């Protein structure tokens, strides 16, 4: 066959293949590619400086008087965990900060508004008074896509109440080793559960029209294999998070072959892209030694090419620093690999200058810059940011419903459905609210901060009354039952108590700070549970944790055991189930190991012998 004919046939085949692969992401194309021509018209009017400005995301707390937003025509601003506005942490202060940033942006030469990004990963957790929902591990145990969509729809409304329009969520990690500090950010160890609920979260956040002023741009993260990293013995010189942690998984290396990566970790992105997710954030971690943020294979070929992603690829927080000690080389590598927007919170001007040099020196093709900026601009067009009537002001109606009882009611239902009844002997549960004298023990029973976990007000979260408006488990039991509820954090059980509820769990953490070698209950918590159990009354153990904990036989001393995960502000949802007002319906979305030597253990592992298997969950 003549060469020419072969070439034409091959080209035709490639086009057919491209159309076939792109077709399964048709939803995403409908959202963004239809704005390509309009976007190119605007990009063609931009100077190189304005184009690179659009690719730059700076952090609010590094921007001083905010004038750099206008001067550099920045495309985006973020508030990472705990990066509150200068004048305090209130909805009004956050809203004022957003509007001031946006005012700067629309005052630039071309007046392109910014994307303002936050980590509203379980409600608008940065802001005092927001409704804080269960973290994803709890939502995973609901197996309820409609509920997850509703939780994220309300989250979007509370985020837009402050004006912010970009949410670094959903996390669609598939955590495969519970010792990872970000396990609770994942819905499940099972990719099918993550894919279904991740897509539902995107639907809730983005809706079906990104112009909707009550919706936000979503961001599926962290691409790809963030939950697959191998546990490594901690090197003494590894910075941060205290030397007592013996193990490191976060930002580690995923040592798995490509079929495993695709089957377990790529799959949720196909569903998120089909739902039209507007951004994807590459992971800090590496895949067989190659940094995700530097991988042309993962970003350009797989994510944008094969999966047909047409939104914005945005780096993680200073993630490109880890590519090379030579910052200019790091930038070059990541841009050319397919990164479109750069989360460079502090050194945003240095980033801009170096990328400008790289383009002028021909080390980064201007076509790559134009592709990145076209992607950014067409997302902004799809969001209505470039519409004639665009207003920098947040919607006061959304502010009126911020932290509302109606929103809290949905969060309380999510808590109920997230609870997993692991053990229930002799009908210890439900409690008899009419007659029983109920004794409550454990500091965690009366601690909003422990209920919420990380990514709440502070990046790492904190114990105590971290945010107003919520209800602790103790307060909810007292409200429902009255003075037949007694409480003693240390667990001394009164003689007339007829049942004891002991609440223990993990202190809040986020990311690498949560990497932990054995996941055993603290010595103090074990002693507390044993002390209560030895008092002779039926004992109900409630666990507040970001992952399955190692009970080491403690469950045998308790008539009932309930996994409540990190339920957020609405602890009343826990009391509702303990009191029998609602049936427990949760099913484990993570395998519960018998002991630490079983880590990692996942559904489908050959001859796995867990304490409680994936899918386990009792009812009354
Ligand atoms: C963090 C996390 C990422 C988050 C980002 C912005 O380090 O890895 O999930 O969205 O920085 O806070």
């Amino acid at each position: 066959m003549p060469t020419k004919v072969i070439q034409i046939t091959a080209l035709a085949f490639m086009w057919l293949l491209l159309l076939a692969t792109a077709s399964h992401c048709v939803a995403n194309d409908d959202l963004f590619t239809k704005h390509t021509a309009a976007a190119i018209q605007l990009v063609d009017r931009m100077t190189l400086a304005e184009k690179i400005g659009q690719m730059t995301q700076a952090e609010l707390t590094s921007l001083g008087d905010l004038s750099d937003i206008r001067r550099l025509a920045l495309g985006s601003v973020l508030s990472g965990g705990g990066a509150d506005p200068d004048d305090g942490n209130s909805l009004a202060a956050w809203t004022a900060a957003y509007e001031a940033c946006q005012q700067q942006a629309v005052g630039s030469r071309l007046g392109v508004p910014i994307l303002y990004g936050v980590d509203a990963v379980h409600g608008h957790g940065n802001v005092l008074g927001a409704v804080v929902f269960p973290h994803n591990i709890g939502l995973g145990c609901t197996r309820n896509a409609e509920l997850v969509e509703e939780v994220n729809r309300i989250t979007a409304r509370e985020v837009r109440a402050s004006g912010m329009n970009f949410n670094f969520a959903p996390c669609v990690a598939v955590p495969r080793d519970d010792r990872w500090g970000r396990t609770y950010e994942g819905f499940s160890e099972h990719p099918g559960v993550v894919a279904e609920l991740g897509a539902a979260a995107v639907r809730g956040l983005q809706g079906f029209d990104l112009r909707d002023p009550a919706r936000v741009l979503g961001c599926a993260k962290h691409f790809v294999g963030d939950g697959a990293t191998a546990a490594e013995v901690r090197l003494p010189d590894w910075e941060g998070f205290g030397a007592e942690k013996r193990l490191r998984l976060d930002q580690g290396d995923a040592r798995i072959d490509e079929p495993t990566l695709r089957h377990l970790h790529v799959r949720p992105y196909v569903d998120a892209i089909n739902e039209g997710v507007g951004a994807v954030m590459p992971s800090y971690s590496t895949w067989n030694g190659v940094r995700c943020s530097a991988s042309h294979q993962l970003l350009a070929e797989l994510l944008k090419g094969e999966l047909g992603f047409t939104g914005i690829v945005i780096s993680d927080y200073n993630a490109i620093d880890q590519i090379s000690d030579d910052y200019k080389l790091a930038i070059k590598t990541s841009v050319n690999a397919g990164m479109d927007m750069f989360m460079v919170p502090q050194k945003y001007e240095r980033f801009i200058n170096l990328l400008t040099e790289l383009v002028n020196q021909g080390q980064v093709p201007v076509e790559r810059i134009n592709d990145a900026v076209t992607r950014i601009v067409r997302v902004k067009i799809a969001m209505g940011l470039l519409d004639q009537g665009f207003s920098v002001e947040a919607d006061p109606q959304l502010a009126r419903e911020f932290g509302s009882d109606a929103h809290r009611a949905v969060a309380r239902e999510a808590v109920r459905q997230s609870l997993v009844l692991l053990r229930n002997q002799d009908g210890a549960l439900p409690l008899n609210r009419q007659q029983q004298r109920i004794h409550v023990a454990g500091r965690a029973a009366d601690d909003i901060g422990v209920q919420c976990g990380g990514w709440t007000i502070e990046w790492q979260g904190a114990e105590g009354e971290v945010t107003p408006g919520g209800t602790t488990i103790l307060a909810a039991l007292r409200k429902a039952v009255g003075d037949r509820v007694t409480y003693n954090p240390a667990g001394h059980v009164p003689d007339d108590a007829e049942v004891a509820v002991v609440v223990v769990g993990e202190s809040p953490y986020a990311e690498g700070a949560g990497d932990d070698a054995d996941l055993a209950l603290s010595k103090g918590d074990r002693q507390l549970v044993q002390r209560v159990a030895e008092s002779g009354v039926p004992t109900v153990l409630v666990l507040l944790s970001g992952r399955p904990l190692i009970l080491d036989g403690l469950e045998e001393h308790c008539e009932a055991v309930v996994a409540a995960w990190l339920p957020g502000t609405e602890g009343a949802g826990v009391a509702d189930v303990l009191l029998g007002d609602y049936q427990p319906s949760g099913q484990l979305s993570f395998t519960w190991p018998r002991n630490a030597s079983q880590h990692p253990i996942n559904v489908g592992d050959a001859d796995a012998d867990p304490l409680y298997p994936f899918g386990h969950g009792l009812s009354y």
Side-chain angles (χ1 to χ4, degrees):
M1 186 187 291
T3 312
K4 197 74 184 157
V5 172
I6 292 173
Q7 283 171 337
I8 290 168
T9 310
L11 264 177
F13 176 72
M14 285 303 292
W15 262 110
L16 281 173
L17 188 67
L18 200 62
L19 286 174
T21 41
S23 64
H24 64 255
C25 294
V26 66
N28 196 11
D29 286 354
D30 286 346
L31 274 177
F32 305 119
T33 45
K34 68 185 175 186
H35 300 299
T36 301
I40 289 173
Q41 277 186 344
L42 179 53
V43 174
D44 286 349
R45 293 169 50 205
M46 290 182 179
T47 63
L48 177 61
E50 288 166 334
K51 290 176 183 176
I52 293 176
Q54 283 301 305
M55 296 170 68
T56 308
Q57 182 185 66
E59 188 155 50
L60 174 73
T61 46
S62 303
L63 278 165
D65 67 358
L66 307 181
S67 59
D68 281 353
I69 297 171
R70 178 201 307 246
R71 181 173 66 88
L72 301 169
L74 295 182
S76 182
V77 171
L78 87 142
S79 281
D84 303 349
D86 287 341
D87 47 356
N89 182 339
S90 66
L91 177 60
W94 280 88
T95 307
Y98 165 79
E99 291 175 352
C101 290
Q102 207 59 289
Q103 199 60 52
Q104 288 285 332
V106 299
S108 62
R109 183 178 77 90
L110 293 172
V112 180
I114 56 166
L115 297 173
Y116 196 123
V118 291
D119 292 279
V121 295
H122 62 150
H124 201 0
N126 270 324
V127 183
L128 288 174
V131 177
V132 179
F133 292 91
H135 269 295
N136 283 350
I137 189 168
L139 297 180
C141 293
T142 71
R143 301 294 203 284
N144 186 336
E146 283 175 17
L147 178 61
V148 171
E149 181 176 342
E150 180 63 2
V151 164
N152 282 276
R153 186 186 69 82
I154 291 172
T155 295
R157 295 180 77 83
E158 296 220 346
V159 171
R160 288 304 297 269
S162 58
M164 280 77 184
N165 53 16
F166 184 19
N167 189 5
F168 305 126
C171 176
V172 291
V174 182
R176 300 290 288 177
D177 189 327
D178 304 348
R179 296 171 293 183
W180 183 36
R182 306 196 75 164
T183 296
Y184 67 77
E185 296 186 59
F187 291 107
S188 176
E189 67 191 27
H190 189 296
V193 173
V194 178
E196 182 190 19
L197 300 186
V202 171
R203 275 196 303 278
L205 291 173
Q206 296 194 168
F208 295 100
D209 178 358
L210 275 168
R211 278 182 166 75
D212 182 339
R215 304 285 185 164
V216 295
L217 187 71
C219 177
K221 68 185 188 181
H222 311 81
F223 188 80
V224 62
D226 51 347
T229 54
E232 295 167 303
V233 174
R234 185 180 187 81
L235 303 178
D237 62 350
W238 221 322
E239 89 296 335
F241 309 130
E244 76 285 350
K245 300 286 178 185
R246 298 192 303 279
L247 218 57
R248 188 71 186 231
L249 293 96
D250 193 41
Q251 305 185 16
D253 188 33
R255 297 165 193 154
I256 52 178
D257 60 24
E258 185 166 346
T260 304
L261 184 83
R262 285 174 175 270
H263 166 67
L264 289 180
H265 303 282
V266 172
R267 174 170 168 194
Y269 289 88
V270 174
D271 295 71
I273 290 169
N274 270 332
E275 285 302 329
V277 72
V280 168
M281 185 186 292
S283 176
Y284 283 112
S285 55
T286 51
W287 175 42
N288 295 330
V290 178
R291 290 236 163 262
C292 294
S293 301
S295 172
H296 188 273
Q297 180 190 358
L298 291 178
L299 304 187
E301 296 161 43
L302 175 57
L303 178 59
K304 292 181 174 178
E306 183 183 333
L307 300 185
F309 177 60
T310 55
I312 302 167
V313 181
I314 177 169
S315 76
D316 203 333
Y317 198 101
N318 282 325
I320 62 172
D321 295 19
Q322 297 175 2
I323 295 172
S324 166
D325 292 338
D326 174 344
Y327 194 49
K328 186 172 179 179
L329 175 61
I331 296 168
K332 172 184 174 183
T333 307
S334 195
V335 173
N336 288 339
M339 196 77 76
D340 302 312
M341 184 177 273
F342 291 78
M343 193 184 294
V344 283
Q346 298 80 22
K347 47 193 178 211
Y348 53 88
E349 190 146 15
R350 183 155 173 245
F351 166 80
I352 291 169
N353 295 338
L354 289 173
L355 181 49
T356 305
E357 278 179 32
L358 287 163
V359 176
N360 292 335
Q361 292 162 358
Q363 296 187 55
V364 168
V366 72
E367 292 74 16
R368 176 71 270 274
I369 300 295
N370 289 341
D371 171 55
V373 184
T374 299
R375 284 170 173 266
I376 293 165
V377 170
R378 68 187 182 195
V379 165
K380 292 185 174 183
I381 292 172
M383 294 171 70
L385 300 192
L386 294 168
D387 289 354
Q388 280 306 321
F390 174 76
S391 163
V392 304
E393 288 171 11
D395 179 342
Q397 168 50 35
L398 294 174
R400 282 192 286 274
E401 61 180 74
F402 182 84
S404 65
D405 291 345
H407 289 180
R408 293 187 189 281
V410 175
R412 184 169 174 172
E413 175 60 20
V415 172
R416 292 180 196 127
Q417 293 194 30
S418 67
L419 260 58
V420 180
L421 180 58
L422 298 174
R423 174 187 171 91
N424 192 23
Q425 306 282 53
D426 313 330
L429 285 178
L431 304 174
N432 180 332
R433 63 156 65 228
Q434 273 72 35
Q435 290 159 353
Q436 267 179 330
R437 299 192 64 77
I438 302 167
H439 182 65
V440 179
R443 282 179 306 102
D446 198 29
D447 192 312
I448 287 284
V450 170
Q451 279 178 205
C452 291
W455 297 103
T456 311
I457 309 304
E458 292 303 329
W459 172 44
Q460 291 291 315
E463 295 182 358
E465 188 66 40
V466 296
T467 187
T471 309
T472 64
I473 295 167
L474 173 66
L477 287 170
R478 278 175 163 158
K479 183 176 179 191
V481 177
D483 58 13
R484 276 186 285 107
V485 171
T486 54
Y487 174 57
N488 177 303
H492 302 299
V493 180
D495 295 340
D496 62 352
E498 294 164 303
V499 65
V501 176
V502 193
V503 185
V504 298
E506 295 189 295
S507 295
Y509 55 83
E511 302 191 46
D515 285 354
D516 202 333
D518 56 16
L519 302 186
L521 285 183
S522 70
K523 190 160 174 271
D525 281 348
R526 284 191 72 83
Q527 289 170 344
L528 168 67
V529 177
Q530 279 159 343
R531 187 179 316 125
V532 171
E534 284 155 13
S535 71
V537 294
T539 299
V540 175
L541 174 60
V542 177
L543 297 164
L544 295 179
S545 68
R547 52 216 158 165
L549 298 180
I550 301 302
L551 300 177
D552 260 346
L554 200 60
E555 73 282 358
E556 298 293 338
H557 299 280
C558 304
E559 277 65 24
V561 181
V562 175
W565 312 114
L566 298 172
T569 48
E570 307 314 307
V574 177
D576 292 338
V577 173
L578 295 182
L579 292 168
D581 296 347
Y582 290 83
Q583 282 279 346
S585 58
Q587 300 167 296
L588 285 181
S589 62
F590 285 83
T591 302
W592 198 292
R594 197 174 289 281
N595 54 57
S597 65
Q598 289 187 324
H599 289 131
I601 182 171
N602 294 288
V603 58
D605 287 355
D607 58 48
D609 172 33
L611 180 60
Y612 304 112
F614 175 90
H616 174 73
L618 305 177
S619 60
Y620 294 150

